[in-house]
Amino acid sequence: MAGILAWFWNERFWLPHNVTWADLKNTDEATFPQAEDLYLACPLAFCIFMIRLVFERCIARPCAMGLKIQTNGPQKAQPNAILEKVFTAITKHPDEKRLEGLSKQLDWDVRTIQRWFRQRRNQEKPSTLARFCESMWRFTFYLYIFTYGVRFLKKTTWLWNTKECWYNYPYQPLTVDIHYYYILELSFYLSLFFSQFTDIRRKDFLIMFLHHVATISLITFSYVNNMARVGALVMCLHDAADVLIEAAKMANYAKCQILCNLLFAMFAIIFISSRLAVYPVWILNTTLFESWEIVGPYPSWWVFNLLLISLQLLHSFWSYLIVKTACRAISKGKVGKWNPLHVSKDDRSDIESSSDEEETPPANHKQHSSSGTANGTNKNHGTNGYLTGATYTDEH
């Protein structure tokens, strides 16, 4: 184990040439980032998760009730052992051949079986109330940490001149503000990393998993080798747009359509401008070129910049989805009345629902009416939920 730790903490990987870990030990005159400082983030992440549970129950839920947001979830499917076995062990989206076989086996019409599978899928989805509470928690945290970051950074010199991030590097003392900012951000993203396995499951789960891994890695990397100044800039820049998207989702769940549209438009503008323009021009320019000129490259420098570039690729992907969402909402909605977070006709939603779900339970006899099947299929298009084609708007 000692050999593994010595290999992992190799100074020639983590630090610039002629710099050792002994040079960055804390003294009476200056304090520097220490890897063991990050251990505090693990118990703090658990505390943040517990605070979230209390917040959602005692603050977010009463707010949702005051806004008359529905508390009931999707309608439950009628108990059926055969269909349940197919759903849990084989497929949640049976094809035509399997539907026909089940129709003959149960003596149900195909349309009724399709409705059962849709209701069964919806049964595992959370209610609008749960979505609102989750968004309100994230909105509250992002608003707090973004406000803190802006107030702290506006007093620094490296906010206005990014070359200050590299002068006298890595012998830059760690201030209390940076330490608090880093530990709180790392704890929050650790809590998100683990809670995403229990939170509302979305179609961009893998993308968000990679995003959390990249974010946690960036925070850890930049803290350990004392790139905390540029790391603080990256974190603050990313929190700006996150505040608006969570606010837009809350407005959408509360059916405040005009406010939702306005917030989404503001989010799209800030997200695209900050992450496709400010991020590469301001952040990548200083980490790639200014740092090369002042400090020079070394192994962990390459890894750090590789992580930043991978984050830029995710920015480009999400920007594409945001533009696609807005274009779809405008093209399928009426001029002056569009909802970027709301699914339009023929789009399948995360919570599928239709008038069929409100019908009576299936009868135990087959209905072989071709016209009835056609009408039922047309009804299936009238869904009501949230966009899956632009998954970023319902997750980040």
Side-chain angles (χ1 to χ4, degrees):
M1 181 59 68
I4 293 174
L5 290 176
W7 169 83
F8 182 80
W9 293 113
N10 189 305
E11 294 167 338
R12 298 286 59 82
F13 171 80
W14 288 97
L15 302 174
H17 187 60
N18 292 331
V19 180
T20 66
W21 291 119
D23 298 330
L24 298 178
K25 287 295 183 181
N26 294 333
T27 65
D28 294 336
E29 292 77 20
T31 301
F32 299 102
Q34 306 296 316
E36 53 267 25
D37 296 344
L38 300 179
Y39 294 152
L40 179 62
C42 294
L44 189 56
F46 176 76
C47 293
I48 288 177
F49 181 74
M50 298 306 295
I51 292 172
R52 170 190 169 177
L53 297 181
V54 174
F55 177 90
E56 290 185 356
R57 183 177 183 86
C58 301
I59 299 178
R61 186 180 178 89
C63 290
M65 300 292 288
L67 293 171
K68 297 184 173 20
I69 293 177
Q70 63 181 26
T71 58
N72 58 313
Q75 180 180 344
K76 292 186 177 181
Q78 178 185 8
N80 186 286
I82 296 176
L83 295 181
E84 184 67 26
K85 184 177 181 180
V86 173
F87 182 87
T88 55
I90 302 177
T91 178
K92 297 181 180 181
H93 299 271
D95 54 21
E96 280 188 34
K97 185 176 180 181
R98 190 175 300 279
L99 287 171
E100 289 291 342
L102 291 171
S103 176
K104 294 176 182 178
Q105 183 178 358
L106 296 173
D107 198 31
W108 288 8
D109 66 287
V110 172
R111 177 58 181 161
T112 301
I113 296 175
Q114 286 178 325
R115 186 189 315 123
W116 188 94
F117 273 93
R118 184 173 60 253
Q119 290 178 343
R120 183 63 182 83
R121 290 193 297 269
N122 293 342
Q123 190 174 315
E124 299 181 346
K125 303 294 183 178
S127 64
T128 303
L129 176 67
R131 292 171 180 265
F132 178 90
C133 292
E134 180 182 320
S135 290
M136 187 171 179
W137 160 249
R138 297 191 184 203
F139 167 79
T140 303
F141 180 85
Y142 286 134
L143 181 62
Y144 166 73
I145 202 66
F146 175 67
T147 303
Y148 176 84
V150 170
R151 292 182 61 185
F152 147 62
L153 286 171
K154 71 179 183 181
K155 298 180 292 186
T156 64
T157 56
W158 63 84
L159 175 65
W160 316 107
N161 180 14
T162 53
K163 288 186 177 181
E164 292 284 346
C165 294
W166 311 109
Y167 291 147
N168 197 37
Y169 174 83
Y171 306 105
Q172 298 168 342
L174 178 70
T175 64
V176 175
D177 289 330
I178 294 183
H179 178 73
Y180 174 79
Y181 194 34
Y182 256 80
I183 295 300
L184 194 58
E185 285 272 17
L186 179 59
S187 302
F188 178 71
Y189 280 104
L190 280 174
S191 71
L192 287 184
F193 178 81
F194 292 109
S195 66
Q196 68 176 336
F197 295 97
T198 58
D199 281 344
I200 300 168
R201 186 80 173 215
R202 295 180 172 89
K203 294 183 182 296
D204 64 346
F205 174 84
L206 180 59
I207 295 293
M208 290 310 303
F209 179 84
L210 295 176
H211 173 268
H212 294 327
V213 170
T215 302
I216 292 169
S217 301
L218 276 167
I219 293 174
T220 304
F221 254 83
S222 59
Y223 187 86
V224 169
N225 60 7
N226 204 13
M227 291 184 179
R229 291 185 176 183
V230 71
L233 298 179
V234 173
M235 291 188 295
C236 188
L237 181 66
H238 281 72
D239 290 335
D242 293 338
V243 175
L244 290 170
I245 187 58
E246 298 301 337
K249 286 191 286 184
M250 286 194 298
N252 187 46
Y253 300 145
K255 301 187 187 313
C256 300
Q257 196 51 57
I258 296 177
L259 180 60
C260 171
N261 295 344
L262 177 61
L263 289 170
F264 182 84
M266 293 171 60
F267 159 75
I269 293 171
I270 291 178
F271 184 94
I272 294 173
S273 62
S274 64
R275 304 198 188 187
L276 295 189
V278 177
Y279 180 80
V281 172
W282 190 39
I283 301 296
L284 292 182
N285 176 65
T286 191
T287 60
L288 287 170
F289 303 111
E290 292 179 349
S291 65
W292 182 294
E293 176 185 348
I294 299 172
V295 179
Y298 52 98
S300 69
W301 179 94
W302 289 102
V303 175
F304 181 66
N305 279 285
L306 183 62
L307 290 170
L308 289 175
I309 292 172
S310 67
L311 204 56
Q312 179 61 57
L313 295 177
L314 288 174
H315 294 165
S316 302
F317 173 71
W318 279 318
S319 296
Y320 161 74
L321 292 180
I322 291 169
V323 172
K324 182 180 177 182
T325 302
C327 291
R328 180 181 299 178
I330 293 173
S331 63
K332 293 188 176 183
K334 297 180 180 179
V335 176
K337 187 179 180 181
W338 63 287
N339 186 350
L341 297 182
H342 194 278
V343 72
S344 54
K345 189 177 181 181
D346 298 331
D347 287 323
R348 178 59 58 198
S349 60
D350 281 350
I351 294 185
E352 297 167 299
S353 63
S354 69
S355 57
D356 302 316
E357 295 179 357
E358 299 174 359
E359 294 176 4
T360 56
N364 290 328
H365 64 278
K366 296 176 71 173
Q367 298 175 0
H368 293 289
S369 172
S370 59
S371 60
T373 303
N375 292 337
T377 303
N378 290 337
K379 286 182 182 180
N380 189 39
H381 288 163
T383 60
N384 182 19
Y386 306 95
L387 280 173
T388 58
T391 51
Y392 180 87
T393 59
D394 207 21
E395 166 51 31
H396 187 79

